[in-house]
Amino acid sequence: MFSIRKTLWEEDEALVVGLFHENKNQQQIYQMLNDKFDEKLDTYVKSNDISNHYKAVSKILTYGKVPAKRIYFLGLGKKKELTNLTLKKAFGKLFQQLQKDGLTQAAIAFDSFAIGQFQEGETAEVLAEAMEMATYRFSHYKTSNYRSEKVIDDLTLITEQEEDRLLYSLKVGEAFGKGANTARYLVHLPANLLTSSDMAEFALTLADEHGFETEILEKEDMQRLGMGALLAVNQGSKEPPKMIVLKYHGLNEWKDVVGLVGKGITYDTGGYSIKSMTGMPGIKGDMGGAAAVLGAMDTIGRLKPQKNVVAVIPSTDNMISGSAFKPDDVITSLSGKTIEVLNTDAEGRLALADGITYAKHHRAGKLIDVATLTGGMVTALGEWMTGAMTNNQDFYDQVTRAADKAGEPMWLLPYNEDYQAQVRSSSIADLNNSPTRKAHPIMGGAFVAEFAEETPWVHIDIAGTSVAESGHDLGPKGPTGIMARTLANYIISE
């Protein structure tokens, strides 16, 4: 897909040039093109037919003035105001326009995007990630008037920079983008086509592609081990549960293991604490945490960092039947802790309880769980910020650095003995799965923390950020693939 060349003058479908606010005459590539067009580009800039405003995409036909058929100018604004994230969004806007115009090949005048605060490799990484994410489309199930969109499958960077280094950076950016798109794809799938068994099969395919060690626990295995929390959620379903484990060995010894635990509830009716009619549509995405973990593992498998990672996904749906679990039930988790169930719609934390414990069985010394856990998180932070909790500030600081780099900001919620006391408030069991509606997002995280215990732990609630209500610079309306890049970035960078 990617290639590097030095010459500007070849027959490309499109040539892309970056344009800053700063004196355009000092931008060498622009000046070379302006000479070819007999200084007419200056006229276009003055009339705003070519814009250097941030994220503005301008297009001109060349009429044989240069070998490329058309030139796209991407406005970048002021150099000093450009950041990793704003550059990524600008590239996203560009690639969406190229896709809309039906192009399959383009050349980037890479040196026109050079700015002092970025290394060339960083710019290349951002470019490739943006291209993957911005042009993602889910192949829908419509049977009429369906046309698959053209995609850019041939992108050339025109530059004097070192080829091998840039190609590696492009590979890194592509891996992060593909991981996010893997997560998006899984969340897009309807629940009748993504059961726990289907998710396990997808994980096995991913493992085969990247060489992961795998373990899929069946219902009988869970019963033997005593995974009473996950089994309780599954009681009302005809679909068997799965405990999905992928292990990536990046070190010679199985030590310093990071556990990534993703909530894999493929559909959540709420059980006997049933959701409302308006609360049901879209709840197929209640496995967004599992999708993020699998997306991160896709990126990790592509880049092969020298780290050890165990991914654990407790998966089932939460259905209603004569055998479904009920409010007032008492269940025993894999850890041995007993749980009074007061809300069967607080099922995700039950699945995570056994997932967290099982990750520790695989010697995870640090834990990150990701889940579409609470509607209260949507109320608190909307779709613009992901909520988080932790029992270890240093660990959280490392994870949030990875989130900031990915452009997936998090906000740390409080967690202390006052919240611990609430989830320990049952008079007949060790824990209560839903003690109060007050501070509900914190209650969910505090419950999960009871199973992390002393292991450094970060809890990430993506209920508000897992789906975008409208299209944006890095993708269409729908699943965002949120946290796949953050998790992978943490593993690779820290």
Side-chain angles (χ1 to χ4, degrees), residues 20-22 27 76-83 114-117:
F20 290 97
H21 266 200
E22 285 76 7
Q27 298 184 51
L76 298 171
K78 297 179 180 179
K79 285 187 178 182
K80 65 181 181 180
E81 295 179 356
L82 205 61
T83 67
I115 49 178
Q117 62 262 43

Side-chain angles (χ1 to χ4, degrees), residues 405-424:
K405 183 178 178 183
E408 298 177 332
M410 302 194 304
W411 188 268
L412 184 62
L413 298 174
Y415 168 63
N416 58 29
E417 61 273 9
D418 294 325
Y419 299 110
Q420 292 172 346
Q422 295 301 311
V423 298
R424 297 172 184 172

Side-chain angles (χ1 to χ4, degrees), residues 436-490:
T436 175
R437 293 298 299 176
K438 297 175 183 178
H440 194 230
I442 300 175
M443 291 301 127
F447 181 89
V448 177
E450 294 294 314
F451 300 88
E453 298 175 314
E454 300 304 314
T455 305
W457 158 82
V458 172
H459 164 66
I460 302 175
D461 189 338
I462 59 172
T465 52
S466 63
V467 174
E469 294 183 357
S470 59
H472 51 96
D473 294 328
L474 292 175
K477 173 183 177 180
T480 59
I482 195 82
M483 290 296 136
R485 290 176 297 148
T486 291
L487 296 179
N489 198 16
Y490 168 74

Side-chain angles (χ1 to χ4, degrees), residues 389-437:
M389 292 172 62
T390 190
N391 63 5
N392 187 296
Q393 187 64 46
D394 289 342
F395 183 32
Y396 173 78
D397 290 343
Q398 293 172 352
V399 176
T400 197
R401 279 198 298 271
D404 288 343
K405 183 178 178 183
E408 298 177 332
M410 302 194 304
W411 188 268
L412 184 62
L413 298 174
Y415 168 63
N416 58 29
E417 61 273 9
D418 294 325
Y419 299 110
Q420 292 172 346
Q422 295 301 311
V423 298
R424 297 172 184 172
S425 62
S426 173
S427 60
I428 62 171
D430 298 322
L431 302 170
N432 175 341
N433 87 318
S434 187
T436 175
R437 293 298 299 176

Side-chain angles (χ1 to χ4, degrees), residues 216-231:
I216 308 294
L217 296 185
E218 304 294 342
K219 186 173 183 178
E220 296 76 14
D221 301 315
M222 298 178 205
Q223 291 170 334
R224 175 175 51 81
L225 291 169
M227 293 184 175
L230 178 58
L231 287 168

Side-chain angles (χ1 to χ4, degrees), residues 96-125:
Q96 287 176 349
Q97 186 62 56
L98 296 181
Q99 184 180 54
K100 181 180 178 181
D101 291 348
L103 301 185
T104 60
Q105 186 272 335
I108 306 284
F110 186 72
D111 296 339
S112 67
F113 293 89
I115 49 178
Q117 62 262 43
F118 295 151
Q119 297 291 328
E120 292 84 359
E122 186 178 2
T123 301
E125 183 178 328

